[in-house]
Amino acid sequence: GIRARYQGAAADPTVTGLVELVTYGLKGVCAYLHHAEVLGKYSPEVSEGVQQALAFLASKEATDPNALLGWCLKLGEINIQVLAMLDQGHTDAFGHPTPTEVSRVPVEGKCLLVSGHDLADLEAVLQQAEGTGVNVYTHGEMLPAHSYPGLKKYPNLKGHYGGAWYKQKKDFHRFPGSILMTSNCIVEPLSTYRDKIFTTGAVGVGRVAHLPSKEFRPVVDAALAEPGFAAADLATFIDSPVTVGFGHETVLSVAGDVLDAVKTGKLSHVFLIGGCDGSEPSRKYYANLAKMLPQDTLTLTLGCAKFRLLGQDWGNLPGTGLPRLLDMGQCNDSYSAVVVAQALAKALDTDVNGLPLSIDISWFEQKAVAVLLSLLHLGVRNIRLGPRMPAFLTPEATAILVEKFNIQPADIGSPEKDMKLMMANK
């Protein structure tokens, strides 16, 4: 493991940390690439880049810190290509997201829950459940699906149920229907719902039925066999809809308003709070940070970190019609943040580092690492990572990232201090 390599007699701690950074970044690129290929998007150039990265890791050159750092940035560049493919796959199939209010109160009747990331699987479920009386709900990172015209057209897509992925044992235990997991983020199921949860695609877990691609009739039949939501159940849900659908097409359509707000002093700063969520109490930092941000700031969010912020009334930017909280979608939609940042920088005749923009990433797994490498490829500085720095980054490797990009750990104990530093672009 990492520790054994770090403690080995011939190990170079700088090399060890950077090798792990390349490896995790490559895993993240491949995860995003899989999502894109499911949507029919392929790139020989990207595939060649993945093969070259693997060859590099097996070569003597992978003992050179400079070469390793170069490959970190190269993978960031490749990942931007992959995210663009994924974005095109989504929009070609389902149209561009538009701001959409999503109910979190279910309706009476049979029910089926779809979790994960793969929107094409959700559409297949919606189609196969048509005419059966089964209502379909999204869970976790499927929430942004409601903003796509090609998906919200289905009348049996009724709303969103539950919170972030790590709460699924509690959420799934209470769900009175069947469940389909379409990608990662599954937790070992409880016995109370193991016989009504199904997996498909790349995700799987022992003693759970795995369904072939797009063949979801068994999960529909399982929903019909469950009681579904009764009228009495509905009173236990709080009516707090959330609004999603602020992808790059929507945000850039009001770019003039954003630029005017910056130039007239109505908008002092933009915060990107996104990435992964998890169960650690320290991740409350992100909600606490958002709550103390000044009223003349905007917050962009994406990934399941959004669940730390959703469900509250953040209001509008004073003097404008711009919502103060804009959800840009799944972690798969990170490309939207890149497009918007580059477009605003161009309009203001600066680079991304010259924008009144701060990035505070909640990381958990390899896809967040790939996004980090993309930001580093773009030269973005002063990125905060939390709730702690990745364990695979040795202190020596971290020191290189601090020196070149001023990456810094989120100050979990003092979000107010972080906020003041970010407001000063530090």
Side-chain angles (χ1 to χ4, degrees):
I2 298 171
R3 181 169 296 177
R5 291 195 290 280
Y6 179 57
Q7 295 175 341
D12 180 326
T14 302
V15 169
T16 299
L18 291 177
V19 164
E20 296 301 326
L21 184 58
V22 171
T23 302
Y24 276 91
L26 181 58
K27 288 181 177 181
V29 170
C30 290
Y32 282 130
L33 183 58
H34 170 75
H35 288 301
E37 290 180 344
V38 165
L39 293 165
K41 300 300 178 182
Y42 303 91
S43 168
E45 181 184 357
V46 166
S47 297
E48 182 180 356
V50 169
Q51 293 169 17
Q52 289 174 344
L54 289 169
F56 166 77
L57 287 171
S59 71
K60 292 182 179 179
E61 194 181 359
T63 59
D64 177 0
N66 290 326
L68 284 162
L69 185 60
W71 262 102
C72 288
L73 302 183
K74 177 64 176 177
L75 283 172
E77 180 183 17
I78 293 172
N79 191 56
I80 290 175
Q81 293 177 264
V82 174
L83 291 173
M85 292 163 53
L86 185 52
D87 177 76
Q88 186 177 7
H90 283 150
T91 56
D92 284 354
F94 309 115
H96 284 280
T98 58
T100 304
E101 187 176 89
V102 184
S103 172
R104 294 198 289 176
V105 177
V107 298
E108 185 178 357
K110 302 291 185 178
C111 52
L112 189 162
L113 192 63
V114 183
S115 189
H117 301 79
D118 292 317
L119 301 185
D121 286 339
L122 173 62
E123 182 177 44
V125 168
L126 290 166
Q127 292 171 342
Q128 293 171 38
E130 279 185 310
T132 65
V134 173
N135 298 316
V136 179
Y137 299 86
T138 56
H139 172 267
E141 282 264 65
M142 279 293 186
L143 172 60
H146 294 269
S147 64
Y148 287 90
L151 292 172
K152 62 183 178 181
K153 69 181 182 182
Y154 290 96
N156 54 342
L157 180 60
K158 294 298 185 182
H160 187 79
Y161 172 89
W165 67 272
Y166 69 91
K167 296 181 178 180
Q168 65 186 252
K169 285 189 175 182
K170 178 181 177 181
D171 290 339
F172 292 178
H173 171 74
R174 297 175 55 232
F175 189 71
S178 60
I179 305 156
L180 177 67
M181 297 294 299
T182 69
S183 56
N184 58 329
C185 302
I186 190 171
V187 175
E188 181 69 25
L190 298 175
S191 60
T192 53
Y193 60 84
R194 185 181 287 273
D195 61 348
K196 63 177 186 177
I197 186 172
F198 301 78
T199 60
T200 190
V203 65
V205 66
R207 295 181 291 125
V208 167
H210 188 79
L211 302 178
S213 178
K214 308 299 184 291
E215 296 181 18
F216 300 139
R217 185 65 204 197
V219 73
V220 175
D221 291 340
L224 291 168
E226 294 296 318
F229 285 108
D233 298 329
L234 310 187
T236 65
F237 290 85
I238 298 174
D239 186 10
S240 59
V242 296
T243 300
V244 297
F246 295 96
H248 58 86
E249 188 87 354
T250 294
V251 175
L252 291 181
S253 72
V254 294
D257 295 336
V258 175
L259 293 171
D260 181 68
V262 171
K263 293 174 181 177
T264 59
K266 295 175 182 176
L267 173 59
S268 65
H269 209 80
V270 178
F271 292 83
L272 173 58
I273 302 176
C276 314
D277 200 4
S279 60
E280 304 96 320
S282 56
R283 292 182 186 268
K284 293 179 182 178
Y285 157 88
Y286 295 98
N288 293 335
L289 172 67
K291 289 176 182 176
M292 63 180 57
L293 297 179
Q295 288 295 305
D296 63 348
T297 63
L298 292 180
T299 301
L300 308 178
T301 188
L302 51 80
C304 56
K306 67 167 60 67
F307 289 102
R308 294 283 173 178
L309 310 183
L310 296 182
Q312 304 175 58
D313 183 7
W314 298 96
N316 288 343
L317 187 70
T320 78
L322 298 170
R324 288 190 61 237
L325 180 68
L326 305 176
D327 177 50
M328 305 193 83
Q330 300 178 336
C331 62
N332 291 7
D333 299 311
S334 300
Y335 181 69
S336 279
V338 172
V339 171
V340 169
Q342 289 181 320
L344 292 178
K346 182 178 180 180
L348 292 170
D349 195 25
T350 185
D351 59 15
V352 174
N353 291 312
L355 293 173
L357 169 68
S358 295
I359 299 175
D360 205 336
I361 296 178
S362 173
W363 88 278
F364 189 85
E365 47 95 271
Q366 61 265 23
K367 286 197 285 188
V369 176
V371 172
L372 171 63
L373 296 184
S374 293
L375 294 172
L376 298 185
H377 163 71
L378 295 172
V380 179
R381 295 179 57 81
N382 302 324
I383 298 169
R384 281 169 170 76
L385 287 180
R388 57 185 178 275
M389 296 295 279
F392 61 79
L393 276 180
T394 59
E396 293 80 2
T398 300
I400 289 179
L401 299 180
V402 171
E403 176 190 354
K404 294 187 176 295
F405 302 101
N406 200 33
I407 283 182
Q408 50 199 294
D411 192 341
I412 299 302
S414 183
E416 184 176 9
K417 180 180 177 181
D418 265 357
M419 183 267 290
K420 291 178 180 178
L421 288 170
M422 288 187 281
M423 289 290 292
N425 275 355
K426 296 180 180 179

